[in-house]
Amino acid sequence: MTRIGVLALQGDFAEHVSVLRRLGSEAQEVRRPEELSGLDGLIIPGGESTTISRLMTEYDLAQPLRRLAQDSFPVWGTCAGMIVLARRATDLEWPTLAALDITVQRNAFGRQVDSFETDLSVPALGAAPFHAVFIRAPTVEEVGEDVEVLAALEDGRVVAVRQRNALATAFHPELTDDDRFHSYFLEMVGAREGEISRDASR
Ligand code: GLN
């Protein structure tokens, strides 16, 4: 069975755990470096990126996670998790995991419209729009050459990206009933497992 870790230092990790279990995967809450062993992928939830990145450093998870993320291990960050995966983030005093060649702006929607919901077109998930929940969300300001844009708002601001093994969404698929982003991530995980077993049988 596929075993996915969910970083459980702060934020809405429990919601990711329930979606993963609903989809038939094993979900492991991760708070200590030992809990990273035997995982096929990792989700970094929404929450507060300053707190998550500070605790990651304090709990000795930052180094091993940085190594995994840069070594084709599948990772997905939602909202604060996107910030933690970005190479550069505005207003963040702790180092990020730099798994995605993007620059993100934290709290990009300001105080007045800090939370909203909208239907997004996400061609990688099929024709039906994805109902996206944004809560004090970041946006992607710059994307590197290898980064694929999966979704943007009508004004062009980028809100979902993928770069090989790393996926990031500025919104919270774990807070809706639409499991397509979780299934998409599980497909990324499955594709990597296929590559590993092909390499091993050579
Ligand atoms: N505003 C938060 C941050 O900067 C992210 C909010 C969220 O994850 N919902 O980390």
Side-chain angles (χ1 to χ4, degrees):
M1 190 157 51
T2 308
R3 197 146 164 257
I4 307 294
V6 182
L7 191 66
L9 299 173
Q10 190 263 338
D12 73 339
F13 52 88
E15 284 79 358
H16 277 292
V17 167
S18 23
V19 182
L20 290 168
R21 293 190 178 147
R22 188 160 77 228
L23 292 176
S25 298
E26 202 178 313
Q28 159 81 53
E29 292 183 4
V30 173
R31 294 184 185 83
R32 291 176 301 152
E34 308 85 89
E35 288 163 339
L36 290 171
S37 69
L39 296 181
D40 301 307
L42 180 87
I43 296 178
I44 303 178
E48 201 45 58
S49 54
T50 43
T51 310
I52 295 176
S53 43
R54 174 174 60 79
L55 292 174
M56 247 167 36
T57 303
E58 282 178 22
Y59 284 53
D60 295 326
L61 280 161
Q63 284 287 2
L65 282 178
R66 196 169 294 123
R67 221 173 297 128
L68 278 173
Q70 290 170 6
D71 184 28
S72 78
F73 180 77
V75 285
W76 173 22
T78 58
C79 201
M82 169 188 258
I83 299 167
V84 171
L85 288 178
R87 189 177 298 286
R88 292 162 296 270
T90 56
D91 277 334
L92 187 73
E93 53 191 295
W94 295 88
T96 63
L97 299 179
L100 274 162
D101 188 12
I102 56 174
T103 303
V104 296
Q105 162 141 33
R106 295 182 59 212
N107 301 318
F109 298 94
R111 282 189 174 273
Q112 265 147 11
V113 278
D114 64 359
S115 301
F116 63 97
E117 302 186 11
T118 190
D119 287 331
L120 278 181
S121 158
V122 189
L125 301 184
F130 191 91
H131 189 72
V133 177
F134 290 81
I135 304 169
R136 290 180 299 108
T139 54
V140 181
E141 303 279 289
E142 287 170 7
V143 292
E145 261 178 31
D146 292 344
V147 179
E148 187 188 346
V149 172
L150 299 179
L153 294 170
E154 271 173 15
D155 64 8
R157 285 195 279 182
V158 172
V159 289
V161 290
R162 174 176 177 182
Q163 184 175 15
R164 294 184 295 270
N165 58 305
L167 173 69
T169 51
F171 45 91
H172 292 270
E174 71 283 12
L175 299 183
T176 65
D177 293 335
D178 191 339
D179 296 338
R180 283 179 294 160
F181 259 107
H182 287 80
S183 300
Y184 179 86
F185 181 62
L186 292 174
E187 274 167 34
M188 284 171 58
V189 170
R192 176 170 186 260
E193 280 169 356
E195 275 166 33
I196 293 172
S197 53
R198 262 197 310 285
D199 284 351
S201 63
R202 264 188 205 139

